[in-house]
Amino acid sequence: MELEDDFDAFDPERLVQCPYNKHHRIRACRFPYHLVKCKKSYPEVAKQLATCPFNARHLIPQADLSDHIAKCSYKGLIEQDVGNQPSDFKRDEMNAVSTWQAPPCDEDWEAELLEQSDSPFIWGMCNSGINSSSTTSGRESYLPSGVRAPEISPYTPPFKR
């Protein structure tokens, strides 16, 4: 799959051969993007290839997958990472069920909804005064003196004013 050159294996500029079309040679840094593109262009070939469990850039014919898994150079890196786990590491601790429980909830949203008035919220205005005729203009302002709420919203289009 990859071209064997004297380049460093992690060199982003090295050329890699496409598993879908042997005539495609792509820079390693662009290879994952190319794989996605070619997989869409060659769906029949994609059905015949399997992905290596150690490196998703390795696409191998399904018949050769078991041989590749045994010989894959990235297998050693995975085994090395697993080998570096602390000696007291236990799989049971990874799969332990959490005993955390949510605290009891004292909120009752339905009751709060019934307690609210039918009037909409308007910033700077008293909700109880909107439907009431006791105020002069039907509104009671909670703004400090000398400050008034705008007559129209600045976000209202001119044709709706």
Side-chain angles (χ1 to χ4, degrees):
M1 179 178 75
E2 296 185 12
L3 295 177
E4 295 297 328
D5 292 330
D6 292 335
F7 293 109
D8 180 21
F10 297 106
D11 179 17
E13 298 300 317
R14 80 180 193 288
L15 294 179
V16 181
Q17 185 176 12
C18 174
Y20 297 105
N21 185 334
K22 302 300 178 189
H23 299 288
H24 293 175
R25 293 198 175 133
I26 303 93
R27 290 181 298 142
C29 62
R30 299 292 307 159
F31 192 60
Y33 306 103
H34 180 83
L35 285 177
V36 171
K37 178 182 165 190
C38 264
K39 184 176 184 177
K40 292 177 184 175
S41 299
Y42 300 99
E44 295 80 25
V45 177
K47 291 176 185 175
Q48 298 171 1
L49 296 177
T51 304
C52 171
F54 305 113
N55 187 340
R57 295 179 181 197
H58 293 173
L59 296 173
I60 300 95
Q62 289 181 355
D64 301 336
L65 182 61
S66 59
D67 291 336
H68 174 81
I69 289 174
K71 298 176 185 176
C72 182
S73 59
Y74 286 88
K75 179 180 179 181
L77 296 175
I78 301 296
E79 289 173 346
Q80 182 180 6
D81 285 345
V82 172
N84 287 338
Q85 294 291 335
S87 60
D88 61 344
F89 178 77
K90 298 175 185 169
R91 294 262 179 232
D92 295 338
E93 292 177 11
M94 288 288 291
N95 297 329
V97 178
S98 174
T99 59
W100 181 86
Q101 292 181 351
C105 182
D106 296 333
E107 295 179 347
D108 186 2
W109 291 5
E110 286 79 17
E112 290 176 13
L113 185 63
L114 294 174
E115 291 173 6
Q116 290 180 353
S117 66
D118 295 336
S119 60
F121 172 79
I122 300 174
W123 182 77
M125 299 294 160
C126 174
N127 284 344
S128 62
I130 292 178
N131 294 334
S132 170
S133 60
S134 64
T135 58
T136 57
S137 66
R139 297 181 184 172
E140 182 180 335
S141 177
Y142 287 104
L143 296 174
S145 63
V147 178
R148 65 173 179 80
E151 295 293 324
I152 59 172
S153 170
Y155 303 107
T156 306
F159 63 87
K160 288 191 174 185
R161 292 182 185 166

